[in-house]
């Protein structure tokens, strides 16, 4: 039976498969006689990877799902990470959103969020909010409507401001350069209230100032019910936390965790474009 849209949160739909399939690398038979065991079906492997992203289960637990052996899914995932499949999927989702609704570069917002990383690995650090246990920080950049356009990761003990440059340089979409008639603002909270961050904004052509410590609290007191522009990026972090495969980082390799984030951001972009219902 054909599966359309994204009605089942844990099942790969036909519409989603059609978007990812063209991005998968063509498998080359390296057997010297052209034989060997037939490779596992790409869609079955992607079904298993998608299931793990949604549920956060261990790779070995995939053996009990009937989707694909966990070792096979993990091997294929590693191959696709190296080929940049998940990053290109996110980029394709942003292109689709831009064509259908248009990416709004008038205002952007950036914020960081910390997640647990019990197994440690590269780009993890002592989480100051979790008794010094290992953790990871993801820095997310969203356009005005809240579609994620960039993400970077570092150790949980890394200050948000120190990830700002890496995040801006990790844009997954082509951002136009600001013009006099089309300025661009970057909404940041008081955690970025440093001269270094202001110099960075000027370097990238942003015009909006960073909120001074205590300034936003005074404004919200004077205008009850008002929301800071960066609420969209805070909502994106909540959306990402619904993908249990990135809510807690079980990947020791930072590139694997980043690929899962790219996969989730691509799903959000396609969902917001309306292509999946």
């Amino acid at each position: 039976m054909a599966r359309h849209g994204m009605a089942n949160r844990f099942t790969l739909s036909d519409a989603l498969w059609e978007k990812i399939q063209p991005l998968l690398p063509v498998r080359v038979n390296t057997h010297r006689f052209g034989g060997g065991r037939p490779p596992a079906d790409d869609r079955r492997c992607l079904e298993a990877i998608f299931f793990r992203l949604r549920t956060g289960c261990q790779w070995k637990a995939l053996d009990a799902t009937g989707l694909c052996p966990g070792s096979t899914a993990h091997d294929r995932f590693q191959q696709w990470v190296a080929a940049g499949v998940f990053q290109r999927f996110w980029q394709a989702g942003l292109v689709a959103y831009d064509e259908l609704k248009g990416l709004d570069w008038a205002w952007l917002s950036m914020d960081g969020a910390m997640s647990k990383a019990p197994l440690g690995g590269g780009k993890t650090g002592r989480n100051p909010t979790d008794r010094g246990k290992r953790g990871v920080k993801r820095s997310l950049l969203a356009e005005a409507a809240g579609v994620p356009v960039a993400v970077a990761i570092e150790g949980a003990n890394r200050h948000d401001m120190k990830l700002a440059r890496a995040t801006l340089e990790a844009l997954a979409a082509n951002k136009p350069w600001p013009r006099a008639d089309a300025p661009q603002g970057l909404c940041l909270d008081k955690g970025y209230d440093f001269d270094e961050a202001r110099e960075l904004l000027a370097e990238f052509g942003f015009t909006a100032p960073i909120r001074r410590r205590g300034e936003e609290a005074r404004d919200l007191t004077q205008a009850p019910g008002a929301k800071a522009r960066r609420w969209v990026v805070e909502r994106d972090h909540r959306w990402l936390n619904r993908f249990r495969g990135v809510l807690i980082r079980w990947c020791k390799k930072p590139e694997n965790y980043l690929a899962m984030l790219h996969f989730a951001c691509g799903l959000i972009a396609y969902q917001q474009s309306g292509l999946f219902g």
Side-chain angles (χ1 to χ4, degrees), residues 174-211:
N174 294 321
K175 183 180 77 68
W177 186 254
R179 305 189 310 270
D181 61 335
Q184 295 174 5
L186 180 55
C187 191
L188 302 169
D189 64 17
K190 62 184 180 181
Y192 298 85
D193 187 11
F194 297 93
D195 291 339
E196 180 182 341
R198 290 185 174 80
E199 293 172 0
L200 181 65
L201 294 190
E203 179 182 337
F204 281 83
F206 293 108
T207 58
I210 300 171
R211 307 306 297 270

Side-chain angles (χ1 to χ4, degrees), residues 3 9-13 16-17 20 24 40-78 80 86 243-245 260 263 267:
R3 292 166 292 179
R9 295 189 305 153
F10 308 113
T11 304
L12 191 73
S13 67
L16 181 55
W17 169 244
I20 299 182
L24 302 180
D41 180 66
D42 280 343
R43 177 159 184 171
R44 300 284 289 179
C45 292
L46 190 60
E47 289 259 14
I49 295 169
F50 180 74
F51 184 84
R52 185 184 184 278
L53 173 66
R54 295 300 318 201
T55 66
C57 70
Q58 296 180 351
W59 289 105
K60 291 182 179 180
L62 292 172
D63 296 345
T65 65
L67 294 172
C68 176
S71 58
T72 302
H74 184 259
D75 289 344
R76 196 66 56 86
F77 175 68
Q78 294 277 77
W80 290 344
F86 302 103
F243 295 91
R244 299 188 67 85
M260 282 293 189
F263 196 5
L267 292 169

Side-chain angles (χ1 to χ4, degrees), residues 217-245:
R218 290 193 300 270
D219 291 349
L220 294 179
T221 300
Q222 296 171 2
K227 290 184 178 180
R229 290 180 183 269
R230 69 173 186 280
W231 72 270
V232 292
V233 72
E234 294 171 350
R235 180 191 62 185
D236 284 349
H237 279 302
R238 292 194 297 272
W239 282 347
L240 285 175
N241 286 341
R242 295 178 182 176
F243 295 91
R244 299 188 67 85

Side-chain angles (χ1 to χ4, degrees), residues 19-25 79-80 82-95 172 262-263 266 270:
K19 298 298 181 184
I20 299 182
Q21 185 181 23
L23 307 176
L24 302 180
Q79 295 171 15
W80 290 344
V85 169
F86 302 103
Q87 184 173 23
R88 288 187 283 120
F89 170 69
W90 180 18
Q91 292 169 340
L94 292 175
V95 170
H262 290 165
F263 196 5
Y270 271 116

